[in-house]
């Protein structure tokens, strides 16, 4: 059985829609759909979260040579038992045997989003600092270049203009 088929089977056995699963993992519903049609593969982190959520090994998810259908049936019975335990743990607001519950999934999503936003903010601030630094250097260079061209007033020679031979205003009516 291929990964995409296992993902569909496990999601349905756990009573999750693509939307609910995407919310738990912090990805889009389209991403879940791409995994289930085989157009994309989950990242290593997402495989880890899926294996924890479904209580299967990552090896089971990735190994296409499924040993037997009976193994999957046994897994189905185990999942139903675990689902009831997780549901009761969710109601109590605690984790059952290290299994992720709704609160831990929400915390994981929040941490993932904060880390993405944090990285984006840091990159934006660094970019702004770079731009301001470049502009400061350009202004400094421009000012230095103009200092050499500026002549103090007391150094300027006062020339007079001889305007006797020029008829500035000719009023020939």
């Amino acid at each position: 059985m291929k990964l995409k088929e296992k993902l569909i089977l496990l999601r349905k056995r756990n009573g999750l829609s693509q939307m609910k699963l995407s919310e738990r993992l912090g990805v889009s519903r389209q991403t879940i759909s791409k995994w289930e049609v085989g157009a994309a593969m989950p990242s290593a982190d997402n495989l880890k979260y899926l294996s924890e959520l479904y209580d299967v090994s990552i090896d089971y998810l990735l190994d296409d040579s499924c040993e037997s259908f009976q193994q999957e049936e046994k897994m189905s019975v185990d999942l139903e038992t675990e689902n009831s335990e997780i549901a009761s743990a969710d109601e109590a607001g605690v984790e059952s045997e290290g299994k992720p519950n709704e609160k831990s999934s929400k915390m994981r999503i929040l941490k993932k989003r904060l880390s993405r936003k944090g990285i984006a903010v840091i990159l934006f601030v660094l970019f702004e600092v770079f731009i301001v630094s470049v502009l400061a250097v350009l202004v400094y260079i421009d000012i230095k270049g103009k200092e050499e061209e500026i002549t103090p007033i007391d150094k300027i020679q006062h020339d007079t203009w001889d305007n006797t031979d020029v008829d500035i205003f000719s009023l020939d009516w």
Side-chain angles (χ1 to χ4, degrees):
M1 182 179 279
K2 297 195 180 273
L3 172 65
K4 62 183 183 177
E5 297 162 341
K6 291 177 186 177
L7 292 175
I8 294 169
L9 178 75
L10 291 168
R11 178 179 56 79
K12 288 183 178 179
R13 284 187 181 163
N14 280 279
L16 295 170
S17 66
Q18 286 182 342
M19 184 57 85
K20 285 190 178 193
L21 179 60
S22 68
E23 289 171 357
R24 282 190 171 193
L25 294 176
V27 297
S28 69
R29 186 203 55 78
Q30 291 83 359
T31 300
I32 302 294
S33 178
K34 286 179 184 177
W35 295 345
E36 291 182 355
V37 297
M41 283 279 294
S43 69
D45 284 338
N46 286 325
L47 280 171
K48 178 183 167 201
Y49 297 142
L50 287 168
S51 72
E52 290 172 1
L53 178 67
Y54 296 143
D55 193 31
V56 296
S57 68
I58 295 175
D59 290 336
Y60 171 77
L61 290 174
L62 295 176
D63 187 11
D64 287 345
S65 61
C66 205
E67 292 176 301
S68 71
F69 184 74
Q70 293 167 344
Q71 179 186 7
E72 291 178 28
E73 285 303 312
K74 179 184 177 300
M75 184 185 70
S76 175
V77 171
D78 290 343
L79 283 174
E80 289 173 13
T81 306
E82 293 298 325
N83 279 343
S84 63
E85 290 177 10
I86 291 173
S88 63
D90 282 342
E91 290 172 7
V94 296
E95 291 188 12
S96 168
E97 299 177 14
K99 312 282 185 299
N101 66 10
E102 192 68 28
K103 287 186 179 182
S104 65
S105 297
K106 286 181 181 178
M107 287 301 294
R108 184 174 54 246
I109 292 168
L110 182 62
K111 286 179 183 177
K112 196 173 189 180
R113 286 182 182 162
L114 285 177
S115 66
R116 287 180 184 167
K117 286 181 182 178
I119 291 171
V121 168
I122 289 170
L123 288 175
F124 180 75
V125 169
L126 288 174
F127 179 72
E128 291 296 319
V129 168
F130 174 75
I131 294 296
V132 169
S133 300
V134 168
L135 288 174
V137 167
L138 290 175
V139 167
Y140 177 77
I141 290 171
D142 189 46
I143 290 172
K144 274 301 220 184
K146 288 184 179 179
E147 281 180 1
E148 295 170 2
E149 297 174 12
I150 297 174
T151 308
I153 291 182
D154 57 341
K155 302 270 184 183
I156 298 176
Q157 295 178 358
H158 296 287
D159 293 330
T160 57
W161 180 43
D162 184 18
N163 60 358
T164 55
D165 17 305
V166 179
D167 191 15
I168 298 176
F169 296 103
S170 127
L171 300 174
D172 295 331
W173 296 77

